[in-house]
Amino acid sequence: MASVTNGTPQRAWPRDLTPGTIELLKATAPVVKQHGTEITGTMYPLMFGEFPEVKNLFNMSHHRQRPAEAAVADGVPPPGVSPQAKTLANAVFAFAANCDQLGNLGEAVARMVHKHVSLDVRPEHYPIVGNCLLRAIKIVLKDAATPEIMAAWTEGYWFLADLLIDAENKTRAELEGLPGGWSGFRQLRVAEKVRESDVVTSFYLESAEPGRPLIGFRPGQYLSLKFPRLAGADHDVVRNYSVSSAPGDLAKYRISVKREPGVPPATPAGAVSSYLHDRVSAGDTLLVGPPCGHFFLPSAAPTRPLVFLAGGVGITPLLSMVEHLAATGGAGGRPVLFVQYARDPTAIAFRDHLAALAAKNSFLTHRVVYESAGTGDAATTYGARFDLAGLDAWLPEKSRDCEYYFCGPPAFMAAVNRALATGWTVPLAQRHYEYFGPTQDIEP
C-alpha cells in the first residue's frame, strides 16, 4: 500500500505495471464496467463523509444525481446517477481496458492533468482518492474482489497516479515559471462587467497587483474561479469558465457567464452564476486559477476549412478561437464558418460582434439558427435546430472535409457528434469538442 511522507505518496512497487497486474486488470475490466457507477457512487459519499476537505476540489453540483423520473438522453448519465460518478466510472474502465496500451488514453490523461491543475489537486490528495476507490471496489464486488485482484487494482491505481502527479507537477512548474505566472489561485480584479444578452454577462479580469502581468493562454482554454464558502456551503465552490477573448490582450481575460436558472426542485439555480450576475461588480476581486485546458486551436495553420458550431453559451471557447484568427490574419487562407444555435434572440450573445467580425474578415462566414419562430434572412434561420441539411448548405468550399469545433449543452454536443460521425463519417481526428462539466461519452 502507499503511504504519505511530507505530503508525497510513497510506494512499495516498481514504476511499470507487472504482466500479472495487466492480465488481472484487463480480465476484471468488464466486471468493473458493469458495476462502474455503483462503485463510484459508493466511493464519493464515502470520501466526502470521511474527508470533507476534498469537497474543495470538486464542483459539487456535478455530484447531484439525475432524478429517477428523468428521461434517458444522449450526452448525460442515466437517471439516478450523477455526472461525476459516470465520468469516473468511464475513466476507471478505460484505464483497465487499455493498461497495456496507454497511448490510447493520451487525450483522457491530458484532460485530467489540466482539470486537476485548474482545481489545485496536489499529490497529497491521491492517497485519499485511492483509499476510497479501492474500498468501494471491495464493498461492491464483495468476495469476487479477491486479495490478488485488489492487489492488482492497488498497483494499477498508483501507476496511473504516478503518471498524473508527474505531469501535473510539470504543468504547474511551467505555469509558475512564466512572467506573472502562478498555480493555485490568485486575486484578479473585475475591470469591467458587460451584459451580452438577457442571460449572459461578461467579466473582464485584470491583475490586482501592480507590475504583475497576466500569463498567456491558448484560444479555447478556461479559468477556474474559487469562492470560499459561497452561500453558506461547507466547502469552497470552484467553477471553470472558458476565456472568451483572444489571447493577444494580456492586460485582461474575458469570461462570459450564463445565468443558470435551474429547474426546481431537482436542479436549483446556479449558485456561482447567480452570485456573479447579482453580486459582483467592477472593482471587486475574484480568486482565479491559471489558464488550463486541452481543448484549443492549434498554432499551425489549418489544412482544411474550419467549422465552428456553438450551442448557447458554448460559444465562449469558440469565440476566443475565431477572435484569435481575426487578430492574426485568418486561417492560413482557409475559409471559416461560424454557426450560432440559440433558443431565441433574447438569449443569444455576441451575435452583433460576430457579424461585425465577418464583415471585416472575408475568410469568415457567420450564420445564426433560432429555435423560436420568426422571419429570417440570408444569415438567420428561425424555427430550427442543428441538422446536417442546414449545415450542408453553408459549408465552406461546399466540402464536408473540414475541421469541426463544437461546444454547447450535452444534448447538443451528442447530436452534433453523432450526426458528423454517422451521417457524414467525419473522422474522430476532425471532430474537436469541449464538454462543459464532467466529460461524458458522446461517441456514437
Side-chain angles (χ1 to χ4, degrees), residues 72-88:
V72 175
D74 288 339
V76 296
V81 176
S82 75
Q84 185 61 43
K86 179 63 174 176
T87 293
L88 181 60

Side-chain angles (χ1 to χ4, degrees), residues 56-58 108-123 125-126 161 163-178 181-186 215 221-226 238-240 287-294:
N56 295 336
L57 305 174
F58 289 89
V109 169
R111 185 184 300 114
M112 281 190 282
V113 167
H114 279 272
K115 183 66 72 175
H116 289 180
V117 171
S118 78
L119 297 171
D120 204 24
V121 173
R122 300 282 176 165
H125 298 126
Y126 279 87
L163 295 180
L164 293 173
I165 289 169
D166 288 349
E168 289 158 19
N169 284 340
K170 180 180 179 181
T171 300
R172 271 191 291 269
E174 292 172 350
L175 290 168
E176 293 167 354
L178 297 171
W182 77 100
S183 64
F185 296 88
R186 67 180 268 200
I215 61 176
Q221 291 190 305
Y222 57 81
L223 304 174
S224 293
L225 275 62
K226 181 166 76 169
V238 181
R239 294 291 187 272
N240 300 130
L287 287 171
V288 183
C292 291
H294 78 295

Side-chain angles (χ1 to χ4, degrees), residues 309 341 385-395 400 404 415-426:
L309 307 172
Y341 298 85
R385 295 185 177 184
F386 169 82
D387 68 82
L388 289 179
L391 180 61
D392 204 26
W394 296 326
L395 284 178
R400 297 172 182 175
Y404 296 86
V416 171
N417 195 54
R418 181 177 60 252
L420 294 176
T422 62
W424 287 355
T425 62
V426 176

